[in-house]
Amino acid sequence: MKTLLLTNDEVGKLLDIKDAIDAVEEGYKAFNSGEVVQPDYIALSFEAPRGEIDFKVGYNKNNECVSMKASSGGFANNQVDFGLPPGMNTVLVWDGRSCALKCIMDGTYITGYRTGAAGAISVKYLARKNAEVVASIGTGNQARNQIKAIREVMDIKEIHAYDEFEQSMVSFKEALREITAYR
């Protein structure tokens, strides 16, 4: 069996926020039906200025898929020392029947879209049906993915956002112009 290897750009071209919402909702339903085995995650912390890396694994009996995400964060010197972001994600996927490794992929888009999808599902089931206003504390990538996903389940008329960093607010506003243009 050949293992598929996907870069960040390739995952970005393949992944759609609507598909992410559907997959996360399906995953929630499987988890609540007892069809998912999800052990506690493992965290390895490093001495400052380095951060930590977490390993999260799950098995979905419905689709016979085993997945693991390795997610690092807090590596503040990465940009200067190595030309890398302070946190990175990698996802591995195995066939649950044979345990053959099916795919290794960059997890940046998957992590962002999964977070956004979780917010959209919450809005879908918990927000008032006539709600039109969204507020965001923070304006980074997670906030942008939240807004992008929530737009799929709610007609947003107004967005309120706060961030302690003015430049983040400016880039958030620019990103929202792009997000709202896609529809």
Side-chain angles (χ1 to χ4, degrees):
M1 175 175 211
K2 192 171 182 178
T3 302
L4 181 63
L5 180 62
L6 297 173
T7 66
N8 182 49
D9 289 340
E10 292 168 329
V11 173
K13 290 174 185 169
L14 294 169
L15 189 60
D16 176 85
I17 194 70
K18 292 176 193 173
D19 293 335
I21 293 168
D22 291 343
V24 170
E25 187 168 12
E26 179 184 313
Y28 282 160
K29 289 175 182 176
F31 181 84
N32 287 327
S33 298
E35 296 299 313
V36 171
V37 177
Q38 184 178 4
D40 293 339
Y41 75 91
I42 298 169
L44 295 175
S45 296
F46 301 92
E47 290 184 29
R50 297 181 293 167
E52 77 173 39
I53 184 166
D54 301 333
F55 300 92
K56 301 171 183 173
V57 64
Y59 165 55
N60 186 330
K61 298 174 189 176
N62 290 336
N63 62 13
E64 288 294 342
C65 185
V66 177
S67 62
M68 181 182 76
K69 181 174 90 167
S71 177
S72 66
F75 287 76
N77 294 342
N78 268 7
Q79 184 64 43
V80 172
D81 293 348
F82 307 107
L84 297 169
M88 294 172 274
N89 302 283
T90 303
V91 176
L92 290 85
V93 180
W94 291 267
D95 182 314
R97 295 169 304 232
S98 66
C99 274
L101 182 60
K102 294 168 57 172
C103 184
I104 301 171
M105 64 188 118
D106 183 282
T108 305
Y109 278 104
I110 294 167
T111 298
Y113 279 18
R114 190 252 325 132
T115 302
I121 294 163
S122 296
V123 166
K124 178 179 175 179
Y125 290 102
L126 301 174
R128 291 187 330 266
K129 297 304 174 202
N130 62 346
E132 298 177 331
V133 179
V134 173
S136 177
I137 308 300
T139 56
N141 287 332
Q142 286 189 1
R144 296 167 196 190
N145 284 318
Q146 290 283 335
I147 299 299
K148 187 174 185 176
I150 290 170
R151 287 193 79 244
E152 297 298 329
V153 299
M154 172 183 166
D155 186 23
I156 300 173
K157 302 278 190 219
E158 195 174 322
I159 299 169
H160 298 266
Y162 171 79
D163 197 298
E164 65 180 316
F165 302 106
E166 187 173 338
Q167 183 53 46
S168 184
M169 290 283 292
V170 170
S171 61
F172 180 73
K173 191 172 183 177
E174 291 169 7
L176 287 181
R177 284 191 189 108
E178 290 177 24
I179 291 169
T180 55
Y182 83 89
R183 213 178 210 195

